[in-house]
Amino acid sequence: SNDLVLIDAGCEYAGYASDITRTFPAGGRFSGAQRALYELVLASQEAAVAATKAGARFNAPHDATVAVLAQGLLDLGLLDKNQHGSAQDVIERRAYFRFYMHRTGHWLGMDVHDCGSYVEPGEVGQAHERKDPLSGETITDRPSRILRPGMALTIEPGLYVRPSDKIPKEFWNIGIRIEDDAFVTETGCELITRDVPVKAEEIEALMRG
């Protein structure tokens, strides 16, 4: 009854796929720690939604998500400010990676993870190398795809907390992801999966029903 249930699912219709994730409390109500992390993930998704628009790069929603999560992890005490510094330090050192280890979205279309390059076609030859602060490996970065009206993608931030003596116990074993499907428009993006409740209070009301 104290667990969270995370369902990542979808359906296919007329040859096209969908992909949606919701996280809800099995007992009907989020605990204080569960709700705090849930609200953080939702805020990071809202930042990613705002960053999803024509003319932006594909990685813009991910960068927006990480910025919100990095600050939130510091504010909630999952990352020690004395050890990790500012949110910008957390981002540069990828200290958030132990809690958020995947990208914020992928192409969506005739497959759930649809085909298509994530590199802007006209800029394929442009690249720069950097050293990963966690692994020490050399990574080659190439210009991210420019978003254009009609493109479809998912927006799905999350947080996943393993037990550790460096983390307050009330946060142990909490895993949250919120995923919606978006069409890029001229002025922003349209979420097509928001008929499914997403706010914490809406989910709790649904559970009571």
Side-chain angles (χ1 to χ4, degrees):
S1 63
N2 296 321
D3 286 344
L4 293 179
V5 178
L6 187 159
I7 295 180
D8 186 343
C11 65
E12 292 186 354
Y13 177 75
Y16 287 88
S18 63
D19 195 11
I20 181 173
T21 303
R22 290 294 186 265
T23 307
F24 57 91
R29 293 184 64 85
F30 292 97
S31 71
Q34 289 170 347
R35 182 149 188 166
L37 283 188
Y38 189 92
E39 297 287 2
L40 175 55
V41 173
L42 183 58
S44 77
Q45 192 200 34
E46 290 170 349
V49 170
T52 303
K53 54 189 174 183
R57 299 279 180 169
F58 180 85
N59 60 2
H62 180 74
D63 293 342
T65 284
V66 168
V68 173
L69 293 182
Q71 185 61 59
L73 289 168
L74 291 169
D75 292 343
L76 293 175
L78 278 80
L79 290 175
D80 186 343
K81 294 180 181 179
N82 295 323
Q83 178 183 356
H84 295 285
S86 67
Q88 189 58 42
D89 294 327
V90 168
I91 294 168
E92 290 177 359
R93 299 169 187 167
R94 295 183 68 209
Y96 65 86
F97 190 75
R98 63 186 291 194
F99 304 103
Y100 182 49
M101 64 294 295
H102 60 78
R103 300 292 293 179
T104 301
H106 53 79
W107 297 132
L108 182 71
M110 298 183 76
D111 203 349
V112 176
H113 285 253
D114 209 19
C115 63
S117 175
Y118 291 94
V119 178
E120 183 59 23
E123 302 175 11
V124 171
Q126 302 178 30
H128 72 275
E129 294 184 342
R130 60 182 174 88
K131 183 173 287 188
D132 187 300
L134 295 181
S135 67
E137 296 177 350
T138 298
I139 296 175
T140 301
D141 286 327
R142 294 179 173 82
S144 181
R145 193 76 178 266
I146 296 173
L147 297 178
R148 292 177 171 81
M151 288 181 169
L153 65 154
T154 66
I155 304 176
E156 50 177 305
L159 284 174
Y160 317 94
V161 185
R162 299 187 185 105
S164 168
D165 57 8
K166 296 180 180 180
I167 296 171
K169 194 169 185 178
E170 62 265 28
F171 291 106
W172 289 10
N173 296 312
I174 295 178
I176 295 166
R177 183 163 63 252
I178 305 170
E179 178 182 20
D180 284 288
D181 301 342
F183 285 125
V184 179
T185 67
E186 292 283 357
T187 57
C189 72
E190 176 189 358
L191 300 182
I192 62 172
T193 44
R194 277 298 179 88
D195 285 344
V196 180
V198 69
K199 293 182 179 179
E201 59 269 23
E202 293 173 345
I203 291 174
E204 288 181 342
L206 183 67
M207 296 292 287
R208 288 195 298 272

